[in-house]
Amino acid sequence: MTATTLSIDLNAIVANWRALDALSAATVETSAVVKADGYGLGAGPVAAALAKAGARSFFVALAEEGVAVRKAVGNAPAIYVFSGLVQNDALLMRDYNLIPLLNSAKQLVKLRMQAPDLAYGVQIDTGMSRLGMELSEFIMVRDKIAKADLIISHLACADEPDHAQNAQQLHNFNAMTRGVSIRRSLSATGGILLGADYHFDLVRPGIGLYGAAPFKDATPVINISIPVIQTRKIAAGQTVGYAALWTAKRPSKIATLAAGYADGLIRAMGDGGLMVWAGNTPCPIVGRVSMDLITVDITDLDRVPDHMEIINAHQGVDHVAKAAGTIGYEILTSLGARYKRDYRGG
Ligand SMILES: *Cc1c(COP(=O)(O)O)cnc(C)c1O
């Protein structure tokens, strides 16, 4: 029996990075966001493949994630940390040459006291009310940050191109940074698609690299293949799984597959009309998704397959996410540690 396998196509990630890079002018740097272990797909292999392809800057959420990326990409690329200087990270930042994005005047003071020679950037809040210095605070520090390497802000609604807040945040970002001669960055994947006004000096795609919305032209990156571990025949009227939620309308053949919600195949997938594929043939998930098992109606197949696929070329991450009432970001980062990971290309 082959293991439950998550295949990750590093060449597809590189192709997505190049395709996103091609959407901005040659003078705009395209970085790569590899926080949360590269959106669940492995920050080390992903960052190494992108560095090899020419990416010069990476972004992570936490200093520890930056350490893992540094080990994968060597000394040359810049690694920025969104959370800034929290707890006692200054020494770790210095040892691994990480660049905190300072989120408050307090973090700037901390930097001066703990690691005055450390390179840093600044994050400002232009309307998302989440992370970064607000206008009043930024005005206080604006002439004390001449050595900053980058100023960033983040859009709250970039995946909705018509949302009025995009233009509002763009206006605020321009107003707050006017006359400041530090490199600027506003856009993640969604912002790149909003057009050149949003690109500034550096763009920060994450989700688009990993093949999901809002980057509709993305090359698919992952495939999930699950072994069939048992089959049974049931009579019409018999039920399948927890809470006896699904009842066979005809004599049926049920396959039991070795993956479940502990592998990020969340329970809502059982209610979303999703298919599991035997080659090119779709078969419906029936009954509740359990922690380690999924049950599938294979009555219409001629023979029992060794394994079936829940994410593949027929049914991508966005489709699965929508059927389960969530977004691709959450599906990818929930996949968990039990898969055999099969990296291709890179
Ligand atoms: C996660 C994140 C990104 C990348 O966003 P995507 O929508 O995945 O492209 C960029 N900037 C910041 C501040 C982030 O938190």
Side-chain angles (χ1 to χ4, degrees):
M1 188 187 84
T2 52
T4 300
T5 303
L6 169 60
S7 301
I8 298 155
D9 184 348
L10 296 171
N11 290 346
I13 293 177
V14 168
N16 289 329
W17 180 74
R18 293 208 167 107
L20 288 162
D21 181 48
L23 296 177
S24 59
T27 49
V28 178
E29 180 182 349
T30 300
S31 67
V33 179
V34 293
K35 63 192 182 191
D37 194 25
Y39 289 46
L41 302 186
V46 168
L50 289 171
K52 201 171 136 198
R56 288 177 284 126
S57 302
F58 294 90
F59 287 82
V60 293
L62 310 168
E64 287 75 11
E65 296 176 345
V67 171
V69 173
R70 176 60 72 211
K71 288 176 178 165
V73 300
N75 287 329
I79 301 174
Y80 296 90
V81 181
F82 286 134
S83 57
L85 207 54
V86 294
Q87 287 143 10
N88 298 313
D89 283 347
L91 294 182
L92 200 61
M93 297 263 179
R94 203 183 57 199
D95 288 350
Y96 289 90
N97 190 17
L98 309 177
I99 307 175
L101 292 162
L102 306 178
N103 291 305
S104 62
K106 219 165 135 190
Q107 286 196 351
L108 183 62
V109 172
K110 205 166 170 183
L111 179 103
R112 295 255 145 90
M113 285 166 52
Q114 297 183 352
D117 298 329
L118 198 67
Y120 64 92
V122 169
Q123 180 159 197
I124 59 177
D125 193 316
T126 51
M128 188 167 183
S129 307
R130 189 182 66 168
L131 200 58
M133 299 183 195
E134 288 173 20
L135 179 61
S136 55
E137 197 173 21
F138 184 61
I139 287 171
M140 287 188 333
V141 306
R142 198 157 50 183
D143 46 10
K144 300 182 191 141
I145 57 163
K147 283 200 216 145
D149 176 81
L150 185 68
I151 297 185
I152 78 159
S153 190
H154 195 50
L155 298 167
C157 307
D159 56 350
E160 294 176 59
D162 298 330
H163 201 293
Q165 188 162 328
N166 294 322
Q168 187 58 51
Q169 285 194 252
L170 175 64
H171 173 85
N172 293 347
F173 190 62
N174 272 314
M176 285 171 82
T177 60
R178 189 158 294 134
V180 174
S181 59
I182 299 167
R183 290 199 310 160
R184 295 182 290 176
S185 174
L186 179 61
S187 287
T189 303
I192 294 172
L193 302 170
L194 294 178
D197 288 352
Y198 288 83
H199 295 166
F200 296 89
D201 300 301
L202 179 147
V203 291
R204 312 183 306 270
I207 194 70
L209 304 173
Y210 307 99
F215 186 32
K216 298 227 162 44
D217 298 330
T219 302
V221 168
I222 68 165
N223 179 295
I224 293 180
S225 172
I226 315 171
V228 175
I229 53 173
Q230 196 179 24
T231 58
R232 73 191 64 250
K233 287 184 173 148
I234 63 170
Q238 243 177 295
T239 63
V240 171
Y242 281 123
L245 222 54
W246 186 82
T247 306
K249 293 197 178 70
R250 57 176 179 169
S252 301
K253 194 166 186 184
I254 303 298
T256 302
L257 275 51
Y261 61 76
D263 303 293
L265 307 178
I266 57 178
R267 285 166 86 247
M269 289 182 187
D271 310 324
L274 280 179
M275 298 291 163
V276 175
W277 299 74
N280 291 321
T281 310
C283 302
I285 294 176
V286 294
R288 280 263 159 88
V289 172
S290 311
M291 187 184 294
D292 317 298
L293 300 166
I294 291 173
T295 38
V296 180
D297 181 356
I298 60 163
T299 313
D300 296 328
L301 293 185
D302 296 333
R303 57 172 205 94
V304 177
D306 305 334
H307 65 271
M308 303 183 83
E309 294 177 350
I310 190 164
I311 294 182
N312 63 9
H314 300 291
Q315 183 171 272
V317 171
D318 291 326
H319 182 104
V320 168
K322 196 164 182 211
T326 182
I327 54 176
Y329 298 77
E330 192 175 23
I331 297 295
L332 290 175
T333 56
S334 300
L335 291 175
R338 276 206 304 204
Y339 293 90
K340 171 176 176 284
R341 284 161 183 253
D342 182 7
Y343 288 97
R344 308 199 171 162

